[in-house]
Amino acid sequence: MHNNKQMTFSAPFSGAVLELSHVPDPVFAGGTMGVGIAIDPLDAVLHAPFAGVVINVARTRHAVNLRADNGSEWLLHVGIDTVGLNGEGFEALVKDGERVKEGQPLLRFDLDKVARESRSLVSPLILLNGDRYSLTPARPAGPVNVGEPLLIVEGVAHETQISPNSDIRAKHARGMIRVAHNGGLHARPAALVRQTARQFASHAELHFAGASASTDSVTGLMGLGIAEQDEVEVVCLGHDSEVALQALLKALSTPSPDEKPQAPVSRITPVGNDEVDLENGILRGVTASPGLASGPLFRLDTIELEEDRGGHRPEEQRQILSEGLAQVRADVSTSLDHQHHEQSAIFATHLAMLEDPALLDAAYDAIDQGQSAAHAWSQAVLAQCAVLENLGNPLLAERANDLRDLRQRVLLTLLGDARDVAVPSGAIVIARELTPSDLLMLVQRGVGGICMAEGGATSHVAILARSKGVPCLVALGSALLDVAIDKDVALDADNGRLELKPDAARLQDIQTLRTQRFEQRQRQQQQAHLPAQTQDGVGIEVAANVASRADAENAQLNGADGVGLLRTEFLFVDRSTAPTEDEQLSAYQSVLDAMPEKPVIIRTIDVGGDKQLEYLPLPAEANPVLGLRGIRLGQARPELLDQQLRALLRIKPLARCRILLPMISEVGELRAVRARIDALASEAGISERPELGVMIEVPSAALLAGQLAEHADFLSIGTNDLSQYTLAMDRDHAGLAARVDALHPALLRLIAMTCAAAQDKGRWVGVCGALASDPLATAALIGLGVRELSVSPPQVPEIKAQIRELDVRQCEALAQHLMNLTSAEDVRDACRTFQTQVLKPQAIA
């Protein structure tokens, strides 16, 4: 029953009534969505808790929004993380705008499936306009049956009530923001925006330069041609428009953690005559992946369709396309390799494009006009490619290749033609432009190298080629496609050259160089498990930076002396809720188990700044890298840090676990965490304490290294952040990234200061930033006093081999010389000279 002042909210399920704070999701439990209550349901039908109007049914049918006759607006949400089921197991029994009676069924769902495949069945019931109403429990917590009184909803007298006839879909919010993603709104950022928008019921659009696109469409968003630092308007329509707007503004203004600065020109326009020397048989391109190779040329052509005469039955072709898309989605899903981040991110973006309504609508419209499924899909994709290529944005033009990849994948499925070409082993494959799936297929065939007439060095194919170690040139120009195949060529991707007329001596040189490089890696690998000791007997630990058990296993195979940095963020990102203590323990323990008898340094969660969590809304900051991040977030949200520390204290054996604190800027922060570890250990009855270290990432920490070393067991220098804070240059700024060089003399002085202060206190210093993985910097770091280097797992053998060729006294002399230079460029030149004069040729990378 209800009136303008009061309404009874009846139970929509039978089950156990819970307070909202007990919902296993911080967004609901913390009241971010609004006040309310929850039920752990026993039945598989959601009933209307009052008479009213359906505002909308979620696209994935896991939730319904209702407006009661007294104006209160409700979100009835079945389970936690059920949006990820994409509607599977849910059936909507009502439509948007439909009038419903109290007790009327709204949704039916597969109780077992939802219980198995979602985070929890606990269902939040949220009052969305809680500022206008008060809630009073109509019964104590415990069991309840469908239809029994659950809450008394009463209007707040001084608030203006919403008219029962008002249309909640007219409730909107809008805001302006500058896009911070490197390269603008290309494929991955567009997919991120889409993912963010899909968490909310509101419809959202981006408006830019007189055009607009729905956030549902990745290709539509890319088609707006939004560049980095362009200002866009975000418009949200719906009952949760305000919270949706804030989430989208944050998604647009915060680069993803894995984004790297894009080169100012990432796609090379048609090659000029100066790039083509056919008389001498030389084609020049852009290095996408370095390396040397030689072998026969092999051309890989794209799929071309015969003319479509039309007259097809639309229903039949719609079914053919739907089944083909479903098959490709399944294939792409199996391509998601979460142990290889770049590959996973690329194919996750492809998955989003396969669900893009702009592409699907265009294809189905063409089918309705009588075209075949294959021609309709091809036409829809190529039309969108043309839009992206005509925007004048090199990065977006490159991303059109992802669409061509999807065109090809779907066509292969529709035409029943597997991409199973007989590529000779060791061949140099040429093509106008390859797709990521082509690249992976060619790698499996054992090709020697790849050359493309088009493409760019920041394309997804280039990223995959580098990750697979395949030499690759792009942007060689149309002359490449006129070259006769089946002839032996030399590919010098190190220097951007495809040599079409190599003589026997040159081919032999290529093979000799490849053999030397291979043998060098073999020698380094054979000695990788031996200690890294300098010529004068100083031991240097070479550990590995890892983010998963798979990384740790790779590090162990490559002879790492331990884990110098386990980034725990991998557990917290790309999910809608925080990991539990048990989940964290399992992940940390698996890394420790993968590195038997070796120390593992585990850094506490380092988010904030450029790394955001969707379930942990942080206030918008004008300069996030100077705001709430690292240990500061742990201070602001102590429950997160406590949970992580409890998990770390349960690791066995605890003696091999070392805890590292990020973004420490003063001694008090360190002391507070050490005290908290003591308290949590005492509560758990744990007498042992793990070693505790701090990251030296800000100048204040380097200046206070002596005081920090009094309370820390070790110091670890994060050269990436220390560089940007010391040089006052954002390392994600596309125009400045090349100048943020950790070999700058100012950085070297801070490292020397840190090492000297720590040595006075008997503490060791390591480097876990990118500089440790740079072979050019190895001698300098040792000369500055660093005694542990944490590098990428594949580089462990190479860095160890170089250390064995060094003499610490020579390194110290080098370091003193470098600190007196005036630029990073001068430092690098001096380091190259040192390598040439001091190291044996086989020790130089």
Side-chain angles (χ1 to χ4, degrees), residues 740-763:
V740 185
D741 192 331
L743 277 179
H744 191 286
L747 268 294
L748 301 185
R749 287 173 178 266
L750 286 177
I751 294 171
M753 182 186 304
T754 300
C755 292
Q759 187 176 13
D760 287 344
K761 305 297 181 182
R763 309 301 188 197

Side-chain angles (χ1 to χ4, degrees), residues 626 699 721-731 736 740 747:
L626 298 180
D721 271 323
L722 186 59
S723 299
Q724 74 169 344
Y725 290 127
T726 301
L727 301 175
M729 294 182 186
D730 185 349
R731 60 190 172 103
L736 296 174
V740 185
L747 268 294

Side-chain angles (χ1 to χ4, degrees), residues 39 55 205 295 312 354 369 376 636 639 791 794 797:
I39 293 180
I55 298 170
E205 293 181 346
H312 302 281
L354 280 169
Q369 295 171 17
E639 71 280 3
V791 307

Side-chain angles (χ1 to χ4, degrees), residues 690-717:
E691 289 188 22
L692 182 63
V694 298
M695 292 281 287
I696 306 296
E697 298 175 277
V698 297
S700 65
L703 294 168
L704 294 174
Q707 291 94 319
L708 288 169
E710 290 182 7
H711 301 277
D713 298 301
F714 63 95
L715 307 180
S716 185
I717 301 174

Side-chain angles (χ1 to χ4, degrees), residues 311-333:
H312 302 281
R313 295 175 55 190
E315 288 187 7
E316 179 182 276
Q317 295 302 311
R318 276 176 167 266
Q319 181 68 23
I320 290 172
L321 179 58
S322 296
E323 291 176 357
L325 291 170
Q327 179 60 51
V328 174
R329 286 190 195 102
D331 293 343
V332 172
S333 295

Side-chain angles (χ1 to χ4, degrees), residues 59 185 190-191 193-195 197-198 202-208 211-224 226 233-235 248 355-358 361:
R59 179 188 56 80
L185 214 57
V193 169
R194 172 180 176 269
Q195 178 187 16
R198 291 180 72 181
S202 292
H203 173 74
E205 293 181 346
L206 298 193
H207 293 222
F208 176 70
S212 65
S214 167
T215 54
D216 282 338
S217 173
V218 172
T219 57
L221 293 174
M222 290 194 296
L224 292 176
I226 297 170
E233 183 180 32
V234 184
V235 179
L248 285 167
E355 299 172 354
D356 195 306
D361 289 349

Side-chain angles (χ1 to χ4, degrees), residues 53-318:
V53 175
V54 177
I55 298 170
N56 76 296
V57 179
R59 179 188 56 80
T60 50
R61 303 182 293 282
H62 70 291
V64 176
N65 294 111
L66 291 182
R67 184 180 63 241
D69 291 341
N70 74 340
S72 60
E73 302 155 9
W74 293 83
L75 168 65
L76 312 179
H77 195 285
V78 179
I80 301 299
D81 285 356
T82 43
V83 67
L85 297 177
N86 288 316
E88 293 185 15
F90 287 92
E91 178 186 1
L93 305 176
V94 293
K95 300 177 182 178
D96 292 5
E98 182 176 339
R99 176 82 188 176
V100 296
K101 300 178 180 179
E102 182 177 339
Q104 181 176 335
L106 305 176
L107 295 177
R108 182 180 291 115
F109 55 96
D110 185 329
L111 195 67
D112 291 337
K113 178 180 180 66
V114 175
R116 286 194 312 270
E117 299 184 19
S118 68
R119 185 172 177 82
S120 172
L121 267 176
V122 172
S123 299
L125 313 169
I126 306 296
L127 174 62
L128 297 168
N129 52 349
D131 57 326
R132 298 189 176 109
Y133 301 88
S134 65
L135 300 182
T136 305
R139 62 185 302 109
V144 68
N145 293 316
V146 171
E148 292 183 351
L150 196 59
L151 296 168
I152 303 299
V153 185
E154 191 164 8
V156 179
H158 65 274
E159 293 287 350
T160 301
Q161 299 298 312
I162 294 178
S163 166
N165 297 322
S166 66
D167 186 357
I168 190 61
R169 285 169 288 186
K171 184 177 180 181
H172 71 278
R174 62 179 65 224
M176 302 293 294
I177 196 71
R178 288 195 182 278
V179 173
H181 293 275
N182 295 316
L185 214 57
H186 52 92
R188 284 197 237 178
L192 170 64
V193 169
R194 172 180 176 269
Q195 178 187 16
T196 302
R198 291 180 72 181
Q199 300 171 50
F200 304 98
S202 292
H203 173 74
E205 293 181 346
L206 298 193
H207 293 222
F208 176 70
S212 65
S214 167
T215 54
D216 282 338
S217 173
V218 172
T219 57
L221 293 174
M222 290 194 296
L224 292 176
I226 297 170
E228 185 178 356
Q229 294 304 309
D230 277 345
E231 190 171 38
V232 301
E233 183 180 32
V234 184
V235 179
C236 298
L237 230 64
H239 68 83
D240 57 356
S241 56
E242 287 290 349
V243 66
L245 174 65
Q246 293 306 312
L248 285 167
L249 292 177
K250 181 176 290 186
L252 288 162
S253 62
T254 307
S256 302
D258 61 327
E259 284 190 21
K260 299 175 178 62
Q262 304 293 340
V265 178
S266 58
R267 187 183 185 87
I268 308 302
T269 52
V271 178
N273 293 332
D274 58 328
E275 303 292 344
V276 182
D277 182 7
L278 292 180
E279 182 177 345
N280 294 315
I282 303 295
L283 285 178
R284 297 187 183 276
V286 176
T287 299
S289 177
L292 291 169
S294 62
L297 273 184
F298 180 89
R299 181 180 292 113
L300 190 65
D301 295 317
T302 57
I303 298 173
E304 299 299 334
L305 297 176
E306 297 180 358
E307 182 180 356
D308 184 12
R309 297 181 179 179
H312 302 281
R313 295 175 55 190
E315 288 187 7
E316 179 182 276
Q317 295 302 311
R318 276 176 167 266

